[in-house]
């Protein structure tokens, strides 16, 4: 009795698989296109907390919670520039040394086990921040303090601190205006330092900070509208301060649900922290962005490029021998060049702007405005390496580390 | 400028000032008094608010539970104190060490200028004990102080007990970013003064003391505690310090927020908080509290150990536990929790307290009047002096010059050197003689006490007070002595010039005093200005004399004492009032010598000679 029944089920399952297979065969090409839809090959994050002092604990916790999320989703420390104006974990007033909590009752320690702070305390200045963004950094600057992005980079910029209409205060001594920030992004665009940029700011009147942006491919979010204050959250009597700001708290809650394969898109991020929770009205701006936010995955910015998709189908991709060979050659060349590299040369400035690097003086030529018109966008995508594994399961992987040598 | 140099307009203006002078003066005086009385009413008083970001909310967890421990300490302390009849230094050292503090002692001695009969002390020597709780993860650059004064009047044994129990509790916490100094002083304020001078390495009062062995950086804030019972019905907070200095308003706000959080009943000047500010009752009650504060601030005494901290710009206040007949009582745990919360919040401070007001008046614990609002009251009063002086100056000017020339003089700056010269010479003598009287009043009582004791059957303290009064009264005979010296050719011009000088002198003094100690400035202005404005040798001389007597500095002091006790609802009889007056005189002189209070020299060297000038004007011949 049991055996025929079992066989009939198996049969039906096999039939269904076949049917599915035929359907998938027609769609598989589309999926492959979708697969590379964001057009970026690497991810970077610049996370900035601009406030000092113990009572601004929440701003450090904000930044660390975003740090925790991007790191969890795959951006390595080498691709994160973390700027923290104060060291809350080691503050003498902290009753729980070496921790920074984002939730009451010590539920979530966002300080974690290893935090690599690139710019700390008085290094967090407007000048340093703008230098990191625009890449105009002294040659002696170590690699960990640079934003080594290129025109295939998706960059997440998160800022938090005390702000007002049109400015964000850095420490107690200076502030960055929305115009300065917009100009910095334009410089980044002209120097081909990003592919797409996601800007998030959690501060009072945060929306004022993105209203002056004019460079393409920027999506911006803010915790509050002009004229609104952003409010704190999670008061903790044991620690004696507010642990988080409302907006970032709910963003963190949202990001905790994301995993590297999540298909959650930006529209979902826009819905985070409605006014009933935030008290302020979060804002977003997408008019500079080329793609429809609904097709932009959260992991396009919060995760590292990790284009692995497991299919059961065999997909025959055109093998372009020329590309493979040239990339292989360049790989070889890179190995040969290894010894005499200087820090300054690690930034492929000359390659990016197609100009010869001056022999001794490391100066950047002024941004090539003329090039902008002639530049085709999106740039050709031929450089990426597709490694094909000929096994029943095909793995398409696009390494985020390999991209540099290909241009 | 054009208005003043245009001769026609200038004469018109002069005529207006001359004709409308009296109504303007009356109006200005009434406006000043009315303004002051209106200070307690809502548009002029505001709610207090915390300005300091670092102490923004009461969001800290108080974990103090050592009420029993505090009582145990208090009992032991009281027993040891009874046994040794002095501060049980060894016991205190042992206890502080046992709770884990770094303990040091400081011995001090001071010979008072004359015996202090109120506190029964003359040759004072004592020992302060203090323990430092080092912040475990900070660099000992800043500190907070919790101090308990012990003296013959109030042993404060419960306060010492609570201090030790709090020290034990604080020792167990790791979140301290500032060192905490637990200080027990002997001979209450004398010990505090000795300790503060040694801590800041200065010697301003001639105190002999041993140097401090342990220090803990700049003191950011201090709280003094006075408790004499195991339970309290309310906590009274005192802010007025030496010479009318006040702590930053944020410190008071901090205390108030923790009072509210702990449900403690807190009072200011011993008065409960008026609840209803919309009707008339609340503000009227507020006015009473405000007047009490003005009287206390004007006295310039340190009304508690905190008053001495203020000299070193250490924000401080004194909390006194009151145990009255109210039903609901709070135990030491509640008080301890409030203190713990305050210290935890002060620990969060990153800078000195500076965000909030330093100059304010308090009609209630939760309401304040800022300096910008109360200053016009004195301004109006001083305007009277200005107007009177202007009138006199114009009269002097136009009496000496013919009406045609009066307006025609192109440069009226230095008018008629001849006339001026005569009046200056005639002015010099009374001014110098009154200043000399003031100097005698300041120096002689203390200097001549031994002579007085030899010749009269009185004690030193009495001798000082009686000499003080004698010299004061002797000053009243001044006009009869000076008029022989003065050769007055034009008698009217003489007294006018003298009054002009006196008016300007008084206005300058009162203006300066009001800037540093508003309360004192206002009290003196409100009383002295009418008499000063009215005084002249013509008119009802006995009436003027009586008015001037009533508003002399000593009479103001006496009146203030009566008003103070009246407001405290403990009215004085005349005899009691006189006794209190004599005590206040002795205390005033003593506090000048021991703590550097400035009221006595201010009255003796500044206001008394000035007042004598008016007395001179009145009896001008």
């Amino acid at each position: 009795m049991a055996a025929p029944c079992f066989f009939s089920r198996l049969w039906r399952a096999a039939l269904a698989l076949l049917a599915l297979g035929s359907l998938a065969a027609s769609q598989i090409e589309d999926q492959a296109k979708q697969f590379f839809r964001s057009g970026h090959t690497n991810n970077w994050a610049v996370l900035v907390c601009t406030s000092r002092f113990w009572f601004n604990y929440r701003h450090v916790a904000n930044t660390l919670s975003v740090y925790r999320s991007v790191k969890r989703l795959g951006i390595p420390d080498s691709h994160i520039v973390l700027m923290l104006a104060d060291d809350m974990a080691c503050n003498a007033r902290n009753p729980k040394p070496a921790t920074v909590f984002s939730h009451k009752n010590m539920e979530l320690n966002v300080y974690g086990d290893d935090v690599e702070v690139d710019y700390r305390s008085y290094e967090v200045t407007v000048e340093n921040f703008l230098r990191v963004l625009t890449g105009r950094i002294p040659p002696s600057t170590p690699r960990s303090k640079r934003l080594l992005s290129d025109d295939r980079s998706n960059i997440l910029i998160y800022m938090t601190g005390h702000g007002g209409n049109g400015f964000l205060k850095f420490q107690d001594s200076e502030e960055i205006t929305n115009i300065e920030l917009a100009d910095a992004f334009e410089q980044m665009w002209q120097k081909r330092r990003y592919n797409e940029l996601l800007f998030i700011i959690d501060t009072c009147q945060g929306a004022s900070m993105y209203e002056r942006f004019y460079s393409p491919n920027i999506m911006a979010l803010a915790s509050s509208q002009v004229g609104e204050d952003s409010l704190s959250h999670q008061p903790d009597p044991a620690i004696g301060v507010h642990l988080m700001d409302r907006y970032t708290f709910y963003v963190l809650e949202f990001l905790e649900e994301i995993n590297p394969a999540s298909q959650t898109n930006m529209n979902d991020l826009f819905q985070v922290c409605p006014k009933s929770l935030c008290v302020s009205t979060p804002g977003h701006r997408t008019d500079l962005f080329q793609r429809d936010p609904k097709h932009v995955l959260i992991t396009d910015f919060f995760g590292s490029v990790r284009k692995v998709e497991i299919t059961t189908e065999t997909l025959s991709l055109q093998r372009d021998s020329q590309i493979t060979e040239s990339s292989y050659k360049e790989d070889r060349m890179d190995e040969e060049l290894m010894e005499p590299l200087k820090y300054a040369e690690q930034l492929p400035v000359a390659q990016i702007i197609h100009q010869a690097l001056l022999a001794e003086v490391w100066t950047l030529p002024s941004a090539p405005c003329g090039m902008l018109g002639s530049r085709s966008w999106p740039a050709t995508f031929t450089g990426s390496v597709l490694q094909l594994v000929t096994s029943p399961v095909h793995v398409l992987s696009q390494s985020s580390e390999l991209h540099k040598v290909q241009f | 400028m054009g208005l003043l140099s245009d001769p026609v307009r200038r004469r018109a203006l002069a005529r207006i000032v001359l004709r409308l002078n009296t109504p303007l003066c009356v109006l200005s005086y009434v406006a000043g008094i009315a303004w002051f009385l209106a200070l307690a009413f809502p548009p002029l008083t505001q709610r207090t608010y915390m300005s300091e970001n670092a102490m923004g909310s009461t969001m800290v967890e108080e974990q103090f539970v050592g009420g029993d421990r505090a009582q145990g300490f208090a009992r032991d302390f009281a027993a040891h104190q009874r046994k040794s009849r002095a501060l049980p230094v060894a016991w205190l050292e042992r206890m502080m060490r046992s709770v884990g503090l770094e303990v040091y002692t400081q011995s001090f001695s001071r010979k008072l200028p004359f015996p202090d009969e109120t506190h029964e002390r003359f040759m004072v020597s004592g020992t302060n004990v203090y323990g430092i709780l080092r912040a475990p993860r900070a660099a000992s650059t800043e500190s907070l102080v919790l101090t308990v004064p012990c003296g013959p009047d109030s042993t404060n044994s419960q306060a010492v007990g609570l201090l030790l129990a709090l020290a034990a509790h604080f020792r167990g916490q790791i979140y301290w970013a500032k060192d905490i100094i637990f200080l027990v002083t002997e001979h209450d304020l004398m010990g505090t003064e000795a300790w503060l001078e040694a801590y800041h390495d200065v010697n301003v009062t001639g105190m002999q003391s041993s140097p401090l062995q342990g220090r803990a950086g700049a003191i950011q804030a201090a709280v003094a505690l006075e408790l004499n019972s195991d339970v309290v019905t309310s906590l009274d907070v005192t802010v007025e310090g030496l010479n009318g200095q006040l702590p930053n308003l944020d410190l008071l706000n901090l205390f108030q927020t923790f009072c509210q959080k702990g449900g403690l009943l807190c009072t200011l000047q011993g008065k409960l908080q008026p609840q209803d500010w919309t009707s008339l009752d609340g503000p009227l009650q507020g006015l009473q509290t405000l007047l009490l504060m003005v009287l206390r601030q004007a006295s310039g005494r340190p009304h508690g150990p905190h008053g001495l901290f203020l000299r070193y710009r250490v924000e401080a206040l004194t909390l006194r536990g009151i145990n009255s007949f109210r039903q609901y009582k709070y135990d030491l745990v509640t008080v301890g929790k409030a203190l713990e919360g305050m210290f935890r919040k002060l620990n969060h401070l990153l800078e000195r307290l500076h965000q909030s007001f330093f100059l304010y008046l308090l009609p209630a614990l939760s309401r304040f009047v800022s300096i910008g609002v109360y200053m016009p009251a004195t301004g109006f009063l001083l305007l009277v002096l200005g107007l009177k002086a202007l009138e006199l100056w114009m009269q002097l000017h136009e009496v000496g010059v013919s009406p045609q020339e009066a307006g025609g003089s192109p440069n009226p700056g230095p008018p008629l050197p001849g006339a001026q010269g005569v009046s200056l010479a005639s002015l010099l003598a009374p001014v110098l003689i009154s200043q000399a009287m003031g100097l005698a009043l300041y120096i002689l009582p203390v200097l001549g006490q031994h002579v007085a004791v030899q010749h009269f059957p009185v004690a030193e303290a009495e001798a000082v007070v009686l000499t003080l009064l004698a010299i004061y009264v002797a000053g009243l005979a001044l006009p009869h002595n000076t008029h022989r010296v003065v050769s007055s050719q034009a008698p009217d011009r003489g007294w006018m010039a003298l009054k002009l000088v006196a008016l300007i002198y008084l206005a300058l003094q009162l203006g300066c005093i009001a800037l540093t100690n508003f309360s004192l400035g206002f009290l003196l202005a409100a009383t002295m200005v009418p008499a000063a404005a009215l005084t002249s040798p013509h008119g009802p001389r006995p009436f003027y004399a009586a008015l001037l007597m009533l508003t002399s500095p000593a009479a103001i002091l006496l009146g203030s004492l009566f008003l103070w006790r009246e407001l405290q609802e403990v009215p004085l009889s005349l005899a009691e009032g006189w006794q209190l007056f004599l005590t206040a005189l002795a205390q005033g002189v003593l506090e000048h010598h021991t703590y550097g209070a400035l009221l006595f020299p201010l009255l003796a060297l500044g206001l008394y000679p000035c007042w004598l000038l008016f007395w001179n004007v009145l009896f001008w011949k």
Side-chain angles (χ1 to χ4, degrees):
Chain A
M1 278 294 283
C5 187
F6 173 73
F7 277 115
S8 69
R9 256 188 221 167
L10 202 68
W11 181 243
R12 263 184 233 157
L15 273 177
L17 266 175
L18 269 176
L20 268 174
S22 59
L23 263 174
S26 62
Q27 289 174 355
I28 207 81
E29 300 281 333
D30 291 344
Q31 275 187 15
K33 271 179 201 159
Q34 284 276 305
F35 192 66
F36 300 114
R37 61 188 163 181
S38 79
H40 68 290
T41 62
N42 59 101
N43 278 85
W44 287 81
V46 181
L47 313 176
V48 191
C49 159
T50 63
S51 302
R52 294 180 78 74
F53 306 137
W54 174 243
F55 57 87
N56 290 323
Y57 183 98
R58 58 184 190 278
H59 293 154
V60 174
N62 287 346
T63 314
L64 284 174
S65 69
V66 178
Y67 174 79
R68 165 197 164 84
S69 302
V70 295
K71 211 166 151 181
R72 185 175 60 79
L73 291 171
I75 305 186
D77 267 326
S78 59
H79 281 205
I80 301 175
V81 180
L82 180 61
M83 304 175 112
L84 290 185
D86 208 344
D87 183 5
M88 291 308 162
C90 295
N91 194 304
R93 293 165 184 82
N94 193 344
K96 310 281 172 201
T99 57
V100 174
F101 290 103
S102 66
H103 284 54
K104 270 188 285 196
N105 306 321
M106 301 189 282
E107 280 166 12
L108 181 58
N109 176 14
V110 287
Y111 197 66
D113 295 328
D114 59 334
V115 171
E116 196 182 297
V117 184
D118 300 306
Y119 287 81
R120 60 189 283 275
S121 69
Y122 288 114
E123 291 171 352
V124 183
T125 58
V126 173
E127 180 184 340
N128 279 348
F129 174 63
L130 291 180
R131 283 187 181 280
V132 166
L133 289 189
T134 54
R136 299 174 188 276
I137 290 185
S140 59
T141 311
R143 195 185 159 95
S144 64
K145 291 190 166 194
R146 292 166 181 268
L147 179 70
L148 298 173
S149 59
D150 55 34
D151 63 351
R152 302 277 89 206
S153 304
N154 271 14
I155 306 181
L156 166 71
I157 296 180
Y158 175 85
M159 303 183 84
T160 183
H162 290 284
N165 191 351
F167 69 90
L168 175 71
K169 195 168 68 107
F170 267 67
Q171 317 237 9
D172 263 2
S173 51
E174 52 182 358
E175 62 255 356
I176 188 170
T177 65
N178 50 2
I179 298 170
E180 285 169 329
L181 196 62
D183 289 343
F185 288 163
E186 177 60 20
Q187 271 196 57
M188 287 173 76
W189 172 251
Q190 294 190 7
K191 291 176 75 177
R192 300 191 179 194
R193 286 176 64 78
Y194 70 83
N195 169 41
E196 285 170 337
L197 199 149
L198 177 66
F199 177 78
I200 303 181
I201 187 161
D202 188 345
T203 178
C204 296
Q205 316 204 34
S208 66
M209 286 307 284
Y210 62 60
E211 63 189 15
R212 299 295 179 121
F213 292 170
Y214 54 94
S215 314
N217 287 2
I218 299 181
M219 193 186 305
L221 289 98
S223 59
S224 55
Q225 298 296 328
V226 177
E228 275 184 340
D229 283 346
S230 290
L231 288 113
S232 55
H233 203 7
Q234 300 289 310
D236 187 310
I239 298 174
V241 285
H242 286 269
L243 300 187
M244 282 279 268
D245 279 317
R246 281 173 180 273
Y247 180 69
T248 311
F249 178 79
Y250 289 106
V251 169
L252 173 65
E253 300 256 282
F254 171 77
L255 290 175
E256 287 293 295
E257 302 295 317
I258 307 281
N259 59 55
S262 291
Q263 293 299 303
T264 323
N265 61 45
M266 282 295 160
N267 275 342
D268 299 319
L269 185 61
F270 297 157
Q271 305 307 315
V272 165
C273 202
K275 195 165 187 206
S276 55
L277 293 173
C278 247
V279 184
S280 60
T281 323
H284 55 85
R285 183 176 171 189
T286 53
D287 56 330
L288 298 168
F289 208 71
Q290 311 278 335
R291 292 190 286 152
D292 186 348
K294 114 179 135 194
H295 295 133
V296 183
L297 297 184
I298 298 295
T299 49
D300 281 356
F301 289 99
F302 282 91
S304 195
V305 179
R306 187 179 164 281
K307 299 236 156 129
V308 177
E309 202 150 291
I310 300 170
T311 65
T312 49
E313 295 303 312
T314 309
L315 181 67
S316 60
L317 286 170
Q318 290 173 338
R319 183 182 282 263
D320 193 333
S321 57
Q322 195 189 342
I323 292 171
T324 322
E325 207 164 289
S326 70
S327 67
Y328 174 67
K329 247 186 218 164
E330 279 181 14
D331 265 343
R332 289 280 306 277
M333 273 169 63
D334 200 45
E335 272 164 31
E336 285 163 14
L337 275 172
M338 275 317 268
E339 326 80 53
L341 265 186
K342 286 179 188 163
Y343 283 126
E345 288 164 359
Q346 287 182 5
L347 183 70
V349 178
Q351 292 162 42
I352 291 172
I353 54 178
H354 309 294
Q355 285 188 13
L357 196 65
L358 290 178
E360 288 297 320
V361 193
W362 191 84
T363 48
L364 259 173
S366 57
C369 302
M371 282 175 58
L372 211 75
S374 64
R375 188 173 164 191
S376 62
W377 190 264
T380 47
F381 188 58
T382 51
S384 64
V385 183
L386 303 178
Q387 291 177 341
L388 283 176
V389 184
T390 48
S391 69
V393 175
H394 295 270
V395 177
L396 277 91
S397 95
Q398 185 180 17
S399 160
S400 61
E401 293 296 328
L402 274 173
H403 72 275
K404 272 188 212 112
V405 293
Q406 284 130 29
F407 285 93
Chain B
M1 285 303 285
L3 196 66
L4 290 175
S5 52
D6 177 15
V8 182
R9 285 201 188 166
R10 186 164 160 274
R11 286 183 66 191
L13 189 72
R15 226 174 278 132
I16 290 173
V17 169
L18 285 176
R19 195 176 304 149
L20 291 180
N21 196 274
T22 314
L24 277 177
C25 284
V26 172
L27 199 68
S28 182
Y29 184 77
V30 171
I33 299 292
W35 188 286
F36 176 78
L37 294 179
L39 286 181
F41 290 81
L44 297 184
T45 64
Q46 301 166 44
R47 293 196 69 87
T48 52
Y49 52 89
M50 188 69 85
S51 303
E52 176 62 59
N53 264 326
M55 306 197 303
S57 64
T58 55
M59 200 178 52
V60 287
E61 199 170 45
E62 295 94 340
Q63 297 165 325
F64 178 69
V65 285
D68 293 338
R69 200 168 180 195
Q71 286 186 13
F73 279 132
R75 271 194 300 274
D76 285 4
F77 176 76
H80 278 91
Q81 182 153 41
R82 262 197 307 278
K83 208 159 43 181
S84 65
R85 301 197 153 275
L87 194 70
V89 175
W91 180 84
L92 267 175
E93 278 189 274
R94 206 167 58 243
M95 285 301 117
M96 282 188 176
R97 221 163 256 137
S98 75
V99 299
L101 303 182
E102 228 180 273
V103 190
Y104 303 96
T105 57
Q106 180 213 16
S107 54
F108 62 92
S109 65
R110 172 89 161 91
K111 182 171 175 278
L112 298 181
F114 59 90
D116 181 353
E117 295 198 329
T118 340
H119 298 102
E120 291 172 352
R121 59 192 179 192
F122 179 45
M123 305 281 284
V124 181
S125 71
T127 311
N128 296 326
V129 185
Y130 65 104
I132 302 175
L133 164 58
R134 297 285 177 197
R137 289 184 284 144
S140 283
T141 50
E142 292 177 342
S143 58
L144 304 171
V145 173
L146 177 62
T147 175
V148 172
C150 294
D153 312 334
S154 55
T155 51
N156 278 329
S157 47
Q158 272 76 10
V160 173
L162 187 55
L163 174 132
L164 289 172
L166 275 174
H169 173 65
F170 286 179
R171 182 68 176 80
Q173 312 305 319
I174 59 161
Y175 47 66
W176 299 112
K178 299 176 183 7
D179 291 359
I180 301 178
I181 302 174
F182 296 90
L183 168 68
V184 181
T185 61
E186 201 172 2
H187 298 292
D188 41 53
L189 270 65
M190 298 284 281
T192 316
E193 178 67 32
W195 188 83
L196 276 170
E197 285 188 13
Y199 195 89
H200 295 96
D201 202 15
V202 290
N203 195 342
V204 284
T205 59
M207 182 84 66
Q208 278 110 42
S209 63
S210 59
L212 297 188
Q213 300 299 316
R215 284 175 46 86
I219 305 173
Q220 302 295 303
V223 177
L225 186 65
E226 295 183 9
L227 273 181
N228 274 311
S229 54
D230 286 341
V231 287
V232 295
T233 50
S234 62
L235 272 185
D236 189 58
V237 60
T238 315
V239 287
E240 303 86 356
L242 191 69
N243 297 324
Q245 277 184 294
L246 298 170
N248 193 281
L249 192 55
D250 267 345
L251 190 62
L252 192 74
N253 294 340
L254 184 70
F255 169 68
Q256 200 226 334
T257 49
F258 277 98
C259 270
Q260 283 178 342
K261 189 185 181 192
L264 264 166
L265 190 66
C266 291
T267 56
L268 183 71
Q269 318 286 356
K271 300 273 182 198
L272 282 173
Q273 299 292 300
Q275 296 300 321
D276 180 21
W277 283 86
T278 48
S279 72
L280 204 61
D281 288 350
L284 280 181
Q285 206 183 329
L287 184 63
Q288 222 175 10
T289 317
L290 186 97
L291 270 172
L292 273 170
M293 176 175 180
V294 165
L295 287 172
R296 263 199 186 178
Q297 197 189 5
S299 76
R301 304 182 60 183
H303 289 269
H306 76 281
L308 299 173
F309 281 87
L310 293 173
R311 180 188 353 233
Y312 303 92
R313 208 56 263 168
V314 175
E315 308 312 320
L317 41 79
T318 298
L319 306 180
R320 286 195 179 84
I322 309 286
N323 194 13
S324 69
F325 302 109
R326 282 181 176 274
Q327 282 287 315
Y328 197 83
K329 302 200 187 268
Y330 304 94
D331 57 357
L332 291 183
V333 175
T334 322
V335 181
K337 278 189 171 172
L339 281 168
E340 186 196 356
M342 283 175 72
F343 271 82
R344 178 109 193 250
K345 271 293 173 190
L346 287 169
N347 179 53
H348 284 185
L349 275 184
L350 296 143
E351 304 165 276
R352 283 176 174 281
L353 283 167
H354 66 282
Q355 303 272 9
S356 195
F357 294 85
F358 283 104
L359 301 160
Y360 52 87
L361 292 176
L362 296 166
L365 208 49
S366 57
R367 303 255 166 180
F368 78 104
V369 186
S370 87
I371 179 169
V373 175
Y374 66 59
M375 222 46 195
T378 327
F380 278 123
L381 295 185
L382 296 184
L383 184 64
V384 176
L385 298 179
L387 282 170
K388 271 288 161 198
L390 195 63
E391 182 195 27
L392 278 175
W393 185 80
M394 284 176 169
Q395 281 174 352
L396 271 176
H397 197 76
E398 289 179 357
V399 165
V401 195
S402 65
Q404 288 82 12
E405 273 188 307
S409 164
N411 184 8
L416 299 176
Q420 197 76 354
V422 169
S423 52
L424 262 185
S426 68
L427 289 185
L428 204 60
V431 169
L432 279 182
I433 291 172
S434 356
Q435 269 324 122
M437 281 308 286
L439 200 64
L441 188 66
Y442 176 63
I443 294 175
L444 285 185
V446 176
L447 206 66
Q449 53 173 318
H450 304 297
V451 184
V453 168
Q454 278 168 9
H455 291 85
F456 300 98
V458 285
E460 277 96 343
E462 285 172 330
V464 170
V465 174
L466 293 178
T467 321
L468 205 65
L469 285 175
I471 297 173
Y472 193 90
V473 175
L476 302 186
L478 189 69
H480 309 285
N481 304 328
T482 46
H483 81 268
R484 287 191 206 116
V485 187
V486 180
S487 59
S488 48
Q489 293 151 340
D492 254 6
R493 292 182 54 74
W495 74 260
M496 279 172 147
L498 183 60
K499 192 180 168 185
L500 176 61
V501 169
L503 279 174
I504 293 172
Y505 188 27
L506 183 64
L508 280 177
Q509 280 194 47
L510 291 182
C512 293
I513 294 171
L515 284 180
T516 53
N517 185 349
F518 166 81
S519 298
L520 183 60
F522 178 82
L523 271 188
L524 290 171
T527 45
M528 290 183 83
V529 161
L534 284 175
T535 307
S536 82
H538 311 298
R541 200 176 267 191
F543 167 69
Y544 287 157
L547 189 65
L548 210 54
M549 279 302 293
L550 277 179
T551 58
S552 78
I556 295 171
L557 177 61
L558 187 62
S560 299
L561 287 173
F562 277 100
L563 179 63
W564 182 50
R565 294 297 286 265
E566 194 64 42
L567 286 168
Q568 282 197 322
E569 288 154 19
V570 203
L572 281 171
S573 69
L574 271 178
E576 281 172 340
W578 182 251
Q579 274 307 314
L580 197 62
F581 173 65
L582 295 182
T583 318
L585 287 182
Q587 287 298 311
V589 178
L590 263 181
E591 272 163 16
H592 170 59
H593 287 280
T594 47
Y595 309 129
L598 289 175
L599 185 67
F600 172 57
L602 207 65
L603 292 184
L605 296 173
L607 285 159
Y608 174 66
C610 187
W611 178 85
L612 276 182
L613 291 182
F614 287 105
W615 189 253
N616 245 323
V617 168
L618 181 62
F619 291 101
W620 191 270
K621 291 198 174 126

